[in-house]
Amino acid sequence: MAEITVGKARISYRTEGSGPPVVLVHGVGPGSFMWDGILDRFTGRNTVHLPDLSGSDSASDDGAPLTIETLAEQVSAVIEDAGTGPADVVGFSLGAPTAAAAAALRPDLVRRLVVAAGWAHAEDVYIQQLVALWLSIADSPEGFGRLGTLTSFARPHLNEIGYEAAEGSHGFMQPNDGRLRQLDLVRRVDVRPLLSRIEAPTLAIGCTRDQTIPVENHRDLGKLIAGSDYAELDTGHVALMERPDEFAKLIQDFFARP
């Protein structure tokens, strides 16, 4: 585990595997361990860097409101600190606009870009209402976590894993300071002014049953990145857990192109 100081934040990142470098950028939640379920799909052929950005449980900073530019700067700092050269960057959920901003602001560090279940701006009233609901129940850890489960997964997946597994998933989203700051950023995201600056070949991945960030937002993000490819999976928001093999294959096939 490496630790670096970026601005007023102290963040850590893990490195696993060997091969061309890939950075996996997490979304709202405790941090990079959300990638652990599919990590073995990458470590056999890539050196994978997994940062825990501001708002994650292991990061520390001054407690100021988060910005996409701050998180993007942290991603770029990890790539530079790792010293493995320009990296392929994959961002999921809040990590998608973060990765896009990193590619726009430091095109020299991002070789290829994948944005999954992301959005370019938060003007969607659905997103605004959902985040407001989440923040309004911050005094109820059970309700907060239960809403996280309902919006993370599609109904077929919940029925597939069963009641007990669904109940056990509530702990992922808990109303601590990091989650509340991340959610506050969700409703303020607007990377539209940056997207025209992206030079990296890009793949946008949409999730057709997404109840956190509706799929129309994924499609719009892809359209706003010039020359990007777009693919959809029939999943809820957390496609990397619902359809891990298909999710990883989309990314690896994209990386394998000349």
Side-chain angles (χ1 to χ4, degrees):
M1 182 78 75
E3 289 193 350
I4 57 175
T5 298
V6 187
K8 297 180 179 180
R10 188 74 179 166
I11 67 166
S12 60
Y13 68 93
R14 296 177 284 148
T15 298
E16 301 192 27
S18 61
V22 172
V23 179
L24 301 180
V25 184
H26 64 80
V28 174
S32 65
F33 83 81
M34 68 172 54
W35 292 104
D36 286 0
I38 66 166
L39 192 53
D40 61 354
R41 275 80 164 181
F42 295 94
T43 52
R45 64 185 78 180
N46 296 103
T47 299
V48 182
H49 305 300
L50 298 117
D52 291 303
L53 306 178
S54 282
S56 65
D57 289 349
S58 68
S60 61
D61 57 28
D62 61 355
L66 299 175
T67 70
I68 284 292
E69 290 79 8
T70 295
L71 301 184
E73 182 184 12
Q74 293 172 5
V75 171
S76 297
V78 165
I79 297 172
E80 289 189 308
D81 187 73
T84 51
D88 297 330
V89 179
V90 182
F92 163 72
S93 190
L94 183 59
T98 298
L105 295 169
R106 290 296 306 272
D108 57 309
L109 295 178
V110 179
R111 183 173 50 197
R112 284 170 295 203
L113 172 67
V114 178
V115 288
W119 65 109
H121 62 85
E123 293 175 2
D124 186 334
V125 174
Y126 178 91
I127 296 174
Q128 294 286 335
Q129 289 292 308
L130 175 61
V131 174
L133 171 60
W134 231 323
L135 295 175
S136 74
I137 59 172
D139 59 349
S140 171
E142 179 182 357
F144 195 91
R146 194 174 295 277
L147 180 59
T149 296
L150 285 173
T151 56
S152 291
F153 304 113
R155 176 174 169 269
H157 180 73
L158 290 173
N159 283 312
E160 180 182 341
I161 65 175
Y163 182 83
E164 293 302 325
E167 287 290 294
S169 70
H170 301 339
F172 183 80
M173 283 291 285
Q174 287 299 293
N176 57 32
D177 178 69
R179 293 311 80 71
L180 300 181
R181 292 168 67 210
Q182 289 170 338
L183 285 171
D184 174 66
L185 175 56
V186 166
R187 60 181 177 178
R188 292 186 287 105
V189 165
D190 190 350
V191 292
R192 286 173 294 185
L194 297 175
L195 298 180
S196 64
R197 297 164 60 179
I198 293 175
E199 300 176 7
T202 300
L203 170 66
I205 300 175
C207 306
T208 60
R209 298 174 184 257
D210 197 331
Q211 297 187 85
T212 302
I213 306 295
V215 68
E216 291 83 2
N217 294 276
H218 313 165
R219 295 167 182 161
D220 289 345
L221 176 57
K223 290 176 183 176
L224 289 169
I225 301 175
S228 67
D229 293 331
Y230 180 78
E232 284 187 353
L233 293 172
D234 186 27
T235 72
H237 186 63
V238 191
L240 63 164
M241 292 183 65
E242 287 194 30
R243 305 280 279 275
D245 291 330
E246 292 177 52
F247 182 82
K249 187 176 187 304
L250 278 175
I251 296 170
Q252 290 291 10
D253 287 351
F254 177 67
F255 288 167
R257 295 180 190 175

